Amino acid sequence: MSVQGPPAGSATEAPVLEARAVGKVFETFERAPGMLGVLKNFVARKKVDVTALADIDLSIHRGETVGLIGANGAGKTTLVKILTGIVPASSGEARLLGRDSFNLTNAEKSRLALVMGQKSQLWWDLPPIDSFHLLREIYSIDSGVFESRVQAFTRMLDVEDRLKIQLRQLSLGQRMKMEIIGAFLHDPDVVFLDEPTIGLDLVSRETIRQFLVKLAEERGVTYVLTSHDLEDIEETCRRIIVLDEGRIAFDGDLAGLTNQVAGKRAVEVHVEPGGTKNLGPLEAALAPLGAEITARAADSVTILVDAVRMRDVVPVLFENLAVRDLSIERQPLEHLVREIYSQSGRAGASLARGREGPGAT
Amino acid sequence: MTPFATDVSQATRARDGAGSQASRNLRLLWRSVGYEFRKRIQFRTGFVVREMMNGAVEPIIMLFVYAALYRSAGAEGTGSLRGWSFDEILKYVAGLLVVRKLVFHNRALDVSTEIFEGRITKYLVMPFRFFVLVQGRFIQYTLLQVVLAGLVWGIGYGILGDRWLVPVSAAATVQAMLLVGLGSYCCFLLYFIIHSLAFWLDVVWSLLVMAWFFIAFTGGSSMPVSQMPAGLARVFEYGFPYWTISAPIEVMMGRLGPGDVARGTGILVGWLISLEVLRRFVWRRGLAKYVGAGM
């Protein structure tokens, strides 16, 4: 599944989100270790400025679906907080719907929604339907419209029978679906989703992605989605912004990202059983072409190769292996992002783990 | 097809005019009062401990202390200590049991926790004033405590009859309740301000306990302010706690008259305005400092 349909906005329209040289510096205190350190801190604390964001320039138009990617501490959430007006920028200017983000009026706030995967938007002690009624008052939603939206959204996300159960008693997946319904009840134009699928099972993640894609297509809603699950980004966003140490390392679409990192392809070659016992000659033949073997099994081998060298590599494969079948796939997004990070001298480890291991955050 | 169409969309845009804003806040206020009620009564033990026993222990202890004091001074009959007979002290304690229930308690707020844990973040992107929800809690607290205070008064009167505090007149009761209501709102504002210090500090709960002791002592929870040394009593009479706790009881007992009530109302309104200005200032400065932890 991927985002289809015509773009709802265009470059000629005024951007709905804009950042000009936005920077954010947090003031914190350095704590020296040990007893002496504690006493020193008590008398005189050492103030330290931590730069979370520096010189961020971007503009997002109506209907754009933007994935914000970055390792832990890269500045994704800080950027979302600044764009939504939760915290002020230390320097530069952030604008949402044409107004300074930190001084939004209620009219602008009513066109905005925020979903936080790690913080509940709804009231913990109340059943979701009661929280929705509170939101109806907050956003002045017409009661007929409210009823039809609750009905439609709960059906789309398959939580119709969970509306009257206290939020704290719902499963994580059901709770997150309710959070997303709550965020969309007032028909927002701009939606920020911060890790909306964190901790969810595959089915719930897929349901949520489908919901987001459907609303993007039908309503032209502008999304800014941050996630460590790059599959979320791939399937719901057309534009990708990679943040690295508070700066934009890449801003463009998936194809652009592929081009920027030389466009690797993963070639999976299926051979006769036992045909991968001696891969020495193949490795030697691939090395001058910049290709490498990344995985091997008794009857298959996977090779990572620059897209531009593909035409040279394929004959080498047939010369050195008893090929039964062969498939070529685009490099997974996390590999692309890891390349971006390695280009800027960082491992991007937490990001690259997104789909690979239990250490994913 | 999702239920979004242009006409529908237009209908749901929050109106930003002053009138609609005010009526929306009012609707929201009443809805939040209802939800707060449900939250308070959903756990029976919590309800009994927090709502019913609230403000009951201290006056009862005070009664035993006063009984010992008057007995040791040989004044338990018709004698008096600093203008208060033991019978009057009994009525004062009865008044405390009722009035203390009505005065807003910091336990009813959890704003500092919401700030610490970053739970206010969600409200910052919504088109309404967060304070409206907090006011809902004040109204819920007051309405519930009025019922409970009425019950306490009725039970006390049923058991002790005229030895219990019986207001000298209906007018005195109304005047006393006006003072308690204004004073309780001052307490609410003060607690909200201290909770808001969570934007900067992590010792908010200590400050709240200190504030409660200050309010209780200067308000006359331990002894009637007019029984305290004259210099101290004169100073305390400029504070809102005195007009919230001690003075209303004395109004119901007939020891203070309408002139005192007028003066007290003026002092309370002055405090109320000052605290409201301070609340807005602290909240605004706090938001500029907020980092939205835990998001």
Side-chain angles (χ1 to χ4, degrees), chain A residues 81 119 130 137-138 187 218, chain B residues 2 9 24 38 117 291:
Chain A
K81 285 176 189 170
K119 280 270 177 285
D130 285 341
E137 298 295 355
I138 290 171
D187 182 16
E218 290 182 3
Chain B
T2 52
S9 173
R24 178 168 48 170
R38 286 171 51 180
E117 295 179 359
V291 293

Side-chain angles (χ1 to χ4, degrees), chain A residues 26 77 80-81 84 86-88 105-107 109-110 112 114 116 119-123 125-127 130 133-141 145 148-149 152-153 156 166 184 186-187 189 194 215 218-219, chain B residues 1-6 8-16 20-21 24 27-28 31-32 35 38-39 42-43 117-119 121-129 133 287-295:
Chain A
F26 289 108
T77 303
V80 168
K81 285 176 189 170
T84 50
I86 293 166
V87 300
T105 64
N106 284 343
K109 283 183 180 177
S110 68
L112 162 72
L114 170 67
M116 298 177 283
K119 280 270 177 285
S120 180
Q121 298 282 92
L122 306 177
W123 283 260
D125 299 310
L126 300 175
D130 285 341
H133 277 291
L134 261 176
L135 292 172
R136 181 169 77 81
E137 298 295 355
I138 290 171
Y139 290 99
S140 299
I141 306 170
V145 173
S148 70
R149 282 184 190 161
F153 292 167
M156 285 167 77
Q166 206 179 26
F184 281 93
H186 63 287
D187 182 16
D189 291 327
D194 188 43
L215 290 194
E218 290 182 3
R219 286 283 307 135
Chain B
M1 177 72 188
T2 52
F4 287 115
T6 312
V8 167
S9 173
Q10 297 292 333
T12 59
R13 291 279 178 256
R15 296 167 298 263
D16 220 24
S20 65
Q21 185 70 34
R24 178 168 48 170
R27 286 197 309 275
L28 193 58
R31 196 171 277 278
S32 68
Y35 290 154
R38 286 171 51 180
K39 275 164 65 178
Q42 67 182 334
F43 299 113
E117 295 179 359
R119 277 190 274 136
T121 301
K122 63 182 173 189
Y123 303 117
L124 302 182
V125 296
M126 291 180 183
F128 81 113
R129 287 167 65 229
L133 288 186
L287 282 185
K289 189 94 181 161
Y290 185 58
V291 293
M295 183 178 155

Side-chain angles (χ1 to χ4, degrees), chain A residues 3 65-68 213 223-225 232-240 254:
Chain A
V3 182
T65 47
V66 180
L68 212 49
V213 169
Y223 290 122
V224 176
L225 171 71
D232 284 350
I233 307 269
E234 271 182 292
E235 293 192 9
T236 57
C237 302
R238 286 191 200 153
R239 180 174 165 190
I240 292 169
L254 193 57

